[in-house]
Amino acid sequence: MSNDRGAVVNEIRKRPFVRPLIFWLTGTLLQVCFPLQAFSIILFAFAVIFTVLSFFVPKQIHPGPFAYSTRWVWGGVFAFLLVFLSIQRTSLAERQLGDKAEPGLLLVKALEIQETMVNKLDLLDLSDEEKSVLATITVNYRRYMTRDVNKQFSVVGLSHLLSVSGFHVAIVSAFIGLLLSFMPGRIAFFYCLKYLLMILFIWMFTYMTGLATAAVRSAVMISIYLTGRMLRRRPDKYNTLAGAAFCMLVYNPFYLFDIGFQLSYMAVLFILYLQPRFSNLLEIKNPLLASPWNTLAVTVSAQTGTLFLCFFYFGQSSLVFLFTNLFLSLLATLLIPATLLWMLIPSWMPGLGYLGIAVEAMANSLMWVVNRFAAIPGATVSVRFDLFTMLFSYIALGLFLIYVQARRYWMLFAALAVLFIILCWHLK
């Protein structure tokens, strides 16, 4: 068991954003569950006193305030400071919850841009239902989205399409990268210019979505990743995810309790962990077959990660997502950038009519598939989880995944023990 603990410590040590994120989450949860704003000053005082006293200890006793041998002590001081700051920031956010602040100037301008872009959809030969879907999946404009359409997308396992998220930002960033691929990457000037343009356009798209939580998460992740590439580093995917979460929670600790934030991060975490393992189950060398298989692996990974959250928040999950996600994800990969281009290109531009015809055809196909699969009897399974069941289900799943990777049988028994606790909870 000591080897397992050492392996966990080493994995965390390789990802410097993980530790600050854990401490920040600890402070936020402590403040929400047990308001500790007044008492948290003790943590700050301890850190300051220890730091000051460390400079007066003789070197024969203590090797120095910042010596490598005392890194664990200074790690503790850093942890106390971070938990203190997290408690204070969460307390400030709690006080701001009661203030009915008007939207800022930037957000108001973003809503105006959304309105202008969505109005252009009236020029297309589409139904109101199709226009509302296009407005939602491109710029997160949900004013005309109806409950029936939301339900249909939920039944077929495509709710993520109706919430601008990492999927949408990834599509836009890949499309921007394709447009900028003509720049020679080996020349430093063009390499830096491409980096700056990628960051600029990604955040412009995120801004046009009204700074949707999931879109901001993805934009931060991509920004960290591109910055690492710019500095000739190989960014670690888990460290990038933790860094994005840390930055967002520092800005607003109550993102932690946002449904979109939870679903988005849980989906990405499981995609990063499970997708390579699912993809490796079958060795497919044909690229025409490998791409659909990888897309299917991403879909199953994301669905696995969000399953218990869906049971907790919505009380249901789709049973037909495997049959819809592959085709509709590929269709959306073309539809989203095509619709954005049609919105942004001036109406006098030659060839715009052909692009409009393509957008109409893809939108019609999207809604046709959604309507057909949503009408299938028994397309969803209804299960309602409480908070206890949801949390312990993730614990059991995590223990089982660790067992599969490390083949530690005590992990399997621990997972079964957690499942037994859940069973007892429901039989009480």
Side-chain angles (χ1 to χ4, degrees), residues 134-153:
L134 284 185
T136 302
I137 68 176
T138 51
V139 292
N140 202 41
Y141 190 85
R142 306 182 64 88
R143 182 175 299 178
Y144 303 122
M145 179 57 57
T146 64
R147 182 175 297 179
D148 290 338
V149 175
N150 263 316
K151 184 177 180 180
Q152 287 178 321
F153 274 78

Side-chain angles (χ1 to χ4, degrees), residues 374-411:
I376 296 176
T380 60
V381 57
S382 297
V383 180
R384 177 65 67 177
F385 275 11
D386 56 23
L387 180 61
F388 177 89
T389 305
M390 186 266 290
L391 292 177
F392 274 72
S393 295
Y394 275 115
I395 292 174
L397 178 59
L399 290 171
F400 177 75
L401 292 177
I402 294 174
Y403 158 73
V404 171
Q405 179 176 357
R407 293 298 175 181
R408 304 291 185 182
Y409 285 98
W410 70 269
M411 288 285 185

Side-chain angles (χ1 to χ4, degrees), residues 87-130:
I87 291 174
Q88 295 296 320
R89 179 66 186 92
T90 305
S91 175
L92 176 61
E94 287 176 331
R95 294 195 297 270
Q96 293 173 340
L97 285 177
D99 301 334
K100 296 183 179 179
E102 294 294 328
L105 181 61
L106 287 176
L107 187 56
V108 170
K109 189 63 178 176
L111 296 177
E112 292 176 358
I113 295 173
Q114 284 183 346
E115 190 86 30
T116 302
M117 296 179 68
V118 169
N119 287 339
K120 196 174 179 182
L121 293 176
D122 293 332
L123 301 176
L124 294 174
D125 185 17
L126 298 172
S127 66
D128 292 339
E129 186 180 73
E130 291 165 343

